[in-house]
Amino acid sequence: MRYLFEDYALDTDQRELHRASDIVPVAPQVFDLLEYLIRNREQVVSRDDLLNAVWNGRIVSEAALTTRLNAARSAIGDSGEQQRLIKTLPRKGFRFVGPVQEVRRRPAASVQDELAWRTGNGSAVRPTAPRLSIVVLPFANIGAGPEQDYFVDGVTESLTTDLSRIAGSFVIARNTAFTFKGRAVDVKLIGRELNVRYVLEGSVQRGGNRFRLNAQLIDAETGNHLWAERFDKPAADLFDMQDEIVSRLANTLNAELIEVEARRAERSPHPDAMDLYFQGRASINKALTPASIERARNFFARALALDPENIEAAVSAAHLDMALASGHLTDDGILHLDAAESALIRVLSLAPNYPRAHMFLGAVRMQTRRIAEGIAACNQALALDRNLADAHGFIGFGKYLMGRIEEVEAHIQEALRLSPRDTRTFIWFMFAGMARFAAGADLESIAWFRRSLESNRNHPHTHFQLAAALALAGDVMEARSTALAGLAFDPGFTIRRYRVNARSDNPIYLATRERFYAGMRIAGLPEG
């Protein structure tokens, strides 16, 4: 079948979108979404209709659906503002409103080829599994009676739901995954059957008053083990423990999957927008230096050039502007904060329930003297995604800006409870160190700053703050070597730059900065 509209032709047999004589490249889900909307153009289709038709019941985040919908519009010369062909009907769904002519044609593929693909025989080419596609197999209940099944199944179900919140993820729905419960499985066969890249499996064992949970992530194409984790905890409140285990697994898997997908993307001769997004995220997960930010910005810019409505890349690009200002990596920090806020507001107009956009918007508002608004935005992000540990860290930072320094550490500890191995722990440790420095507890602040650098030595601003604390504590020699280490990452840093980028008028905050200025001078940082 060929659907003709304007100067486009959607060929469902060849799975190609043509504009005049040119082929317009589209991702498989974008093609399926277009086909479904056009085929059902006489009616409004709901979000659930699209999920069932295009993603076969997989759990898909709202941001992922919005990204694919915007990509479909972009491919046919439409936009979210114009809605010339694909119209959004608030609280109802979507409809293809352009005039369409249907032209029937003989199918290009044979029935034999279709059967060959489905059975894995013959030379037919199997579709490539979507990136970040994963199935959470039911965890095994080891050495305990069936009364423990509810807990084990609860871990599996909650993890399935929480992994679906990862940007760009495709998670096989619970009902499908549970058909494999109690069965010996071959992960390669499961990967082919469900068309997923990754399989997460695990077990729960109870011994006396303790639980041990093992989980492992497997590459479904090769069968290789990519990552493993073990939790060994007292069997106190099972539901609290279940929430903590699921949060930790989801946060750790988020970072691991981004890293794996980034390595895959490096090998791609023709990376698409999501390939470039994963490479950018992997870059800033490693460091927030001027060089790493510039490298990540290039990836996100290329991703947005290919897909201007890519929600994930747009949010991460805004994060870079915020990071430049937060880390005092530029003299004009306020301009970068303004740019980040504008970008995030636009994202939220397209995807109003995207948690990371709310979180970063909150962080931006905290740093533009709207601290209460910023904390509220981070709480909204947590209401949308309870596992967003970084939001707790930012709330702690907001409390520091407000001078409520004794409240900071509790928020940092909550972030660490949810994600103790997070790629962002170095930021949280730094916030705690700043709070203790503000309280005059210099030795405690030094301990927190050291933890930050142990977590990630590539963050220049932590070096500068540790140098100041060491200098005021009397260790001038180490203070100066620490300051030099920070300048190696950010040669343009000056005390003047730090001074002009104050983020609050709270007297406790301002007095703390005066102490930082004094310590930085003793440590030998340039005045500027």
Side-chain angles (χ1 to χ4, degrees):
M1 174 70 72
R2 287 168 67 87
Y3 295 103
L4 309 180
F5 56 96
E6 295 191 340
D7 55 347
Y8 292 89
L10 189 80
D11 189 327
T12 61
D13 302 315
Q14 299 292 334
R15 291 188 60 80
E16 292 177 347
L17 175 66
H18 295 258
R19 184 177 187 184
S21 59
D22 297 327
I23 295 178
V24 180
V26 290
Q29 286 81 24
V30 174
F31 185 94
D32 293 339
L33 189 150
L34 265 176
E35 180 186 358
Y36 185 77
L37 286 172
I38 292 172
R39 184 158 39 84
N40 293 278
R41 60 192 178 277
E42 300 300 327
Q43 64 189 54
V44 177
V45 298
S46 69
R47 180 182 184 276
D48 288 341
D49 291 334
L50 287 175
L51 294 181
N52 289 330
V54 178
W55 284 278
N56 298 318
R58 295 188 182 107
I59 300 173
V60 180
S61 68
E62 181 176 336
L65 175 58
T66 301
T67 296
R68 272 55 179 189
L69 186 66
N70 288 330
R73 283 184 168 130
S74 178
I76 57 177
D78 200 0
S79 71
E81 290 78 20
Q82 293 176 322
Q83 298 193 8
R84 191 181 73 259
L85 296 172
I86 300 175
K87 188 171 183 61
T88 299
L89 301 167
R91 295 183 295 278
K92 293 182 180 178
F94 313 94
R95 185 180 172 195
F96 193 93
V97 295
V100 177
Q101 178 185 359
E102 295 184 9
V103 178
R104 297 191 178 275
R105 53 174 291 175
R106 182 179 178 181
S110 69
V111 174
Q112 288 79 11
D113 280 343
E114 173 67 13
L115 289 173
W117 172 75
R118 289 184 181 276
T119 59
N121 301 315
S123 58
V125 177
R126 176 176 169 268
T128 302
R131 357 175 136 65
L132 276 184
S133 50
I134 185 169
V135 59
V136 182
L137 294 179
F139 279 36
N141 179 6
I142 298 176
E147 67 277 1
Q148 189 179 298
D149 275 353
Y150 77 94
F151 171 74
V152 179
D153 290 349
V155 169
T156 308
E157 291 186 39
S158 297
L159 194 52
T160 298
T161 300
D162 289 4
L163 288 179
S164 70
R165 297 190 178 106
I166 297 175
S169 65
F170 294 87
V171 184
I172 296 296
R174 176 253 189 224
N175 289 345
T176 298
F178 269 77
T179 62
F180 297 95
K181 183 174 180 176
R183 292 165 48 186
V185 297
D186 182 322
V187 292
K188 291 184 180 180
L189 288 176
I190 287 179
R192 287 197 293 271
E193 181 176 341
L194 300 179
N195 200 32
V196 294
R197 285 187 177 181
Y198 307 106
V199 173
L200 183 74
E201 62 179 14
S203 62
V204 178
Q205 183 175 8
R206 183 168 187 169
N209 292 321
R210 297 193 70 82
F211 272 100
R212 173 171 293 175
L213 183 145
N214 293 286
Q216 51 191 357
L217 180 69
I218 303 170
D219 186 322
E221 294 178 0
T222 64
N224 293 336
H225 287 66
L226 301 173
W227 166 87
E229 180 67 279
R230 186 177 77 180
F231 296 90
D232 195 348
K233 297 180 69 66
D237 188 312
L238 292 185
F239 290 109
D240 285 348
M241 184 173 70
Q242 177 179 307
D243 286 346
E244 181 175 337
I245 288 171
V246 169
S247 295
R248 291 188 178 198
L249 279 172
N251 280 307
T252 304
L253 281 166
N254 191 341
E256 292 292 333
L257 287 168
I258 286 172
E259 182 65 30
V260 172
E261 289 292 344
R263 289 198 296 267
R264 282 179 180 266
E266 289 173 357
R267 301 192 295 268
S268 173
H270 304 291
D272 66 12
M274 289 304 290
D275 289 326
L276 295 165
Y277 160 74
F278 287 125
Q279 291 184 83
R281 278 293 301 276
S283 178
I284 56 176
N285 280 349
K286 293 187 177 90
L288 282 175
T289 64
S292 66
I293 288 174
E294 187 59 33
R295 188 162 53 248
R297 189 182 293 282
N298 177 261
F299 282 123
F300 297 140
R302 289 166 61 195
L304 290 167
L306 291 174
D307 179 4
E309 304 301 331
N310 187 297
I311 299 296
E312 291 85 1
V315 170
S316 293
H319 175 207
L320 295 184
D321 275 313
M322 190 200 75
L324 282 169
S326 301
H328 304 284
L329 299 171
T330 176
D331 288 337
D332 52 359
I334 193 64
L335 297 180
H336 287 279
L337 290 172
D338 288 344
E341 181 165 10
S342 296
L344 292 166
I345 289 172
R346 179 176 180 275
V347 165
L348 288 171
S349 72
L350 299 171
N353 292 325
Y354 191 65
R356 291 180 72 241
H358 284 285
M359 179 186 72
F360 286 131
L361 183 60
V364 167
R365 287 180 172 165
M366 288 178 199
Q367 296 178 79
T368 48
R369 301 175 192 256
R370 292 168 289 170
I371 304 170
E373 287 182 42
I375 290 175
C378 285
N379 279 321
Q380 186 173 359
L382 285 166
L384 294 166
D385 183 357
R386 63 179 182 175
N387 298 327
L388 202 56
D390 210 13
H392 288 289
F394 281 127
I395 292 171
F397 177 57
K399 296 293 181 68
Y400 167 76
L401 294 175
M402 297 172 81
R404 293 162 60 176
I405 54 178
E406 297 304 327
E407 299 177 35
V408 173
E409 189 172 332
H411 295 288
I412 302 309
Q413 293 294 355
E414 181 62 14
L416 291 168
R417 185 185 73 83
L418 293 176
S419 191
R421 300 184 186 179
D422 204 281
T423 58
R424 296 270 298 172
T425 55
F426 71 101
I427 296 288
W428 309 338
F429 292 146
M430 184 186 73
F431 291 159
M434 291 158 60
R436 299 319 297 149
F437 188 79
D442 293 351
L443 294 181
E444 292 179 36
S445 74
I446 287 170
W448 280 107
F449 290 141
R450 289 195 195 281
R451 287 184 71 183
S452 176
L453 291 180
E454 288 167 4
S455 177
N456 188 335
R457 294 198 168 274
N458 301 324
H459 191 231
H461 196 52
T462 306
H463 284 278
F464 301 144
Q465 293 186 118
L466 174 59
L470 286 167
L472 293 182
D475 195 341
V476 177
M477 183 175 296
E478 186 180 357
R480 292 186 172 176
S481 66
T482 302
L484 289 173
L487 289 170
F489 292 114
D490 180 17
F493 178 83
T494 63
I495 297 173
R496 181 196 62 80
R497 175 188 288 176
Y498 187 50
R499 182 182 289 275
V500 300
N501 282 304
R503 302 298 182 214
S504 170
D505 54 8
N506 177 271
I508 295 175
Y509 168 80
L510 293 175
T512 301
R513 288 181 71 84
E514 290 296 332
R515 295 192 71 231
F516 272 124
Y517 304 148
M520 288 175 178
R521 289 190 187 97
I522 297 170
L525 285 163
E527 191 73 39

